[in-house]
Amino acid sequence: MDKKREYPIRTGCDRGLCSAAIGRQDRQLNTYDWLADVPGNAESTDLVEVQFKHTRKGYYHNINNLPLKKGDVVAVEASPGHDIGVVTLTGRLVNLQLKKANLKSADDIKRIYRMARQSDMDKFHEAKAREHETMIESREIAKRLGLQMKIGDVEYQGDGQKAIFYYIADERVDFRQLIKDLAAAFHVRIEMKQIGARQEAGRIGGTGPCGRELCCATWMKNFVSVSTAAARFQDISLNPQKLAGMCAKLKCCLNYEVDDYIEHGRKLPSREVVLQTQDADYYYFKSDILAGLVTYSTDKRLAANLETITGQRAKEIVEMNRRGEKPLNLQPDDQLKEPEGPVDLLAGDSITRFDKAKKKKKKKAKPHSPGDGPRKDETMTGEARKDNSSKEKPRKEEPKKDEPKKD
């Protein structure tokens, strides 16, 4: 059986530009400190950002004025006991990150005790080694109680006195009996924390349909609600199988370009508008939003006599129709199309272009043995062979018709 792979907490990266900044902990929580080399940045505030497992961060006061930098492992205040985390941000940027955390009161900001000692790290690794077994056993307890929930992961506190159980549930779950059974089984303080399907996918990781690693597992710090309206703005087919991601929810990348599509879509006329020309009436068929092109058809339901024009030209025709004017056709006068004739797809191509050329087979010379004597071509010199080849055999003269044949 393969040994379980260990992910130690690593240090040595001051800005978070390398993978050794916070070890296996989530990279999407890593913030680039672009003020790290500014003089006096660290002394501007005593607040420090400390990261723990998964999507959990905390903010603490450096009351002892420790010379902390990004990547340092510290022991911080917890309830009860203490916890072990990694410093991820110091200086002025912590105040900006603190606003995003939406802390209800200043009492939520606890203290940093000290730099982690060897004894602290021994307890930390001992507690982390129990997480997998605790998760498996807790799932069996929840299944025995008949609870409609899934325990995705377990996180032990640095001193081993507390355990956080991350679970997923579609409906409200009464886990009061579950907490009693878990406390009796593991003899620690229990805390239940519900997470969504997207947080679970980001924790597990994987590869998306684009061929790259999931955004929620790499750089996304928070999740924004995604609706089908984003797909409508981008003219994407409302196919649940294509719109859903690895978490069975709508893909987060649907929101990446929706603002550009909305901005460019305002430059195009409404889909309900009918363009009237002297030839016929044209109805909306399809559009290329980013390119600013609209295709119209003379039939509402079928692709008949398709004409592609720019959105600006379409708006010009709409204004002309409002004034009671009708252009000759959709295309501008300087871009009229010439009547197209039949197209010869094989013009200039040879019919035998795909045929394979037959290679002439060379006749193999018979093996020459020493007892056969010299070859004919070897008995003649080069000049003799040349003279012999140039001579022509004499032709027989045919008798003329007028002359009598000689006996």
Side-chain angles (χ1 to χ4, degrees), residues 397-406:
E397 296 182 357
E398 297 180 358
K400 296 182 180 180
K401 294 181 180 180
D402 299 339
E403 296 180 359
K405 296 182 180 180
K406 295 180 180 180

Side-chain angles (χ1 to χ4, degrees), residues 188-252:
V188 292
R189 185 173 180 179
I190 305 299
E191 179 181 347
M192 305 298 296
K193 188 173 182 179
Q194 185 175 3
I195 60 176
R198 293 180 177 176
Q199 286 84 352
E200 178 72 5
R203 186 191 66 83
I204 297 175
T207 304
C210 59
R212 305 185 65 180
E213 193 175 356
L214 296 179
C215 299
C216 55
T218 50
W219 60 270
M220 289 188 69
K221 299 180 177 62
N222 50 13
F223 297 94
V224 182
S225 61
V226 185
S227 63
T228 55
R232 293 192 184 97
F233 282 122
Q234 302 176 62
D235 277 346
I236 301 176
S237 176
L238 299 180
N239 188 348
Q241 295 180 354
K242 294 183 178 181
L243 297 182
M246 305 298 291
C247 58
K249 303 292 183 181
L250 291 177
K251 295 178 183 178
C252 297

Side-chain angles (χ1 to χ4, degrees), residues 75-83 110 113 157-159 161-162 189:
V76 299
E77 180 183 1
S79 56
H82 69 274
D83 202 352
K110 297 181 173 58
Y113 287 147
Q157 195 170 272
D159 56 358
Q161 298 184 19
K162 179 181 175 181
R189 185 173 180 179

Side-chain angles (χ1 to χ4, degrees), residues 230-236 257-268 271 284 286-294 311:
R232 293 192 184 97
F233 282 122
Q234 302 176 62
D235 277 346
I236 301 176
E257 299 178 353
V258 65
D259 294 336
D260 291 337
Y261 276 89
I262 293 175
E263 182 179 355
H264 286 76
R266 293 171 181 170
K267 301 177 182 179
L268 303 179
R271 301 183 178 184
Y284 173 86
K286 66 177 182 178
S287 63
D288 189 343
I289 300 177
L290 296 182
L293 301 177
V294 190

Side-chain angles (χ1 to χ4, degrees), residues 63-263:
I63 58 175
N64 297 325
N65 296 324
L66 301 174
L68 299 177
K69 64 181 183 300
K70 192 165 188 173
D72 291 340
V73 183
V74 293
V76 299
E77 180 183 1
S79 56
H82 69 274
D83 202 352
I84 303 297
V86 183
V87 177
T88 55
L89 197 63
T90 59
R92 302 175 187 175
L93 290 183
V94 181
N95 294 326
L96 300 178
Q97 294 292 108
L98 193 61
K99 294 180 181 179
K100 298 179 182 180
N102 296 325
L103 295 180
K104 298 180 180 179
S105 63
D107 297 336
D108 296 338
I109 304 177
K110 297 181 173 58
R111 301 170 296 169
I112 295 178
Y113 287 147
R114 60 186 179 274
M115 299 290 290
R117 303 169 183 170
Q118 185 60 37
S119 58
D120 298 331
M121 296 304 298
D122 294 339
K123 290 183 180 179
F124 173 79
H125 291 301
E126 182 181 353
K128 293 300 175 184
R130 299 162 52 191
E131 290 180 352
H132 184 71
E133 297 178 359
T134 302
M135 180 185 66
I136 300 301
E137 189 174 350
S138 62
R139 287 180 178 179
E140 296 176 355
I141 295 174
K143 184 178 180 180
R144 185 171 64 249
L145 296 175
L147 300 178
Q148 299 297 325
M149 59 183 295
K150 174 189 175 184
I151 299 179
D153 198 6
V154 178
E155 178 186 1
Y156 270 95
Q157 195 170 272
D159 56 358
Q161 298 184 19
K162 179 181 175 181
I164 302 176
F165 291 80
Y166 297 91
Y167 71 94
I168 302 174
D170 296 332
E171 300 177 357
R172 186 179 180 86
V173 179
D174 184 9
F175 44 74
R176 289 176 292 182
Q177 184 62 36
L178 176 64
I179 293 178
K180 295 179 182 179
D181 294 348
L182 293 178
F186 305 115
H187 305 287
V188 292
R189 185 173 180 179
I190 305 299
E191 179 181 347
M192 305 298 296
K193 188 173 182 179
Q194 185 175 3
I195 60 176
R198 293 180 177 176
Q199 286 84 352
E200 178 72 5
R203 186 191 66 83
I204 297 175
T207 304
C210 59
R212 305 185 65 180
E213 193 175 356
L214 296 179
C215 299
C216 55
T218 50
W219 60 270
M220 289 188 69
K221 299 180 177 62
N222 50 13
F223 297 94
V224 182
S225 61
V226 185
S227 63
T228 55
R232 293 192 184 97
F233 282 122
Q234 302 176 62
D235 277 346
I236 301 176
S237 176
L238 299 180
N239 188 348
Q241 295 180 354
K242 294 183 178 181
L243 297 182
M246 305 298 291
C247 58
K249 303 292 183 181
L250 291 177
K251 295 178 183 178
C252 297
C253 55
L254 291 176
N255 285 343
Y256 293 170
E257 299 178 353
V258 65
D259 294 336
D260 291 337
Y261 276 89
I262 293 175
E263 182 179 355

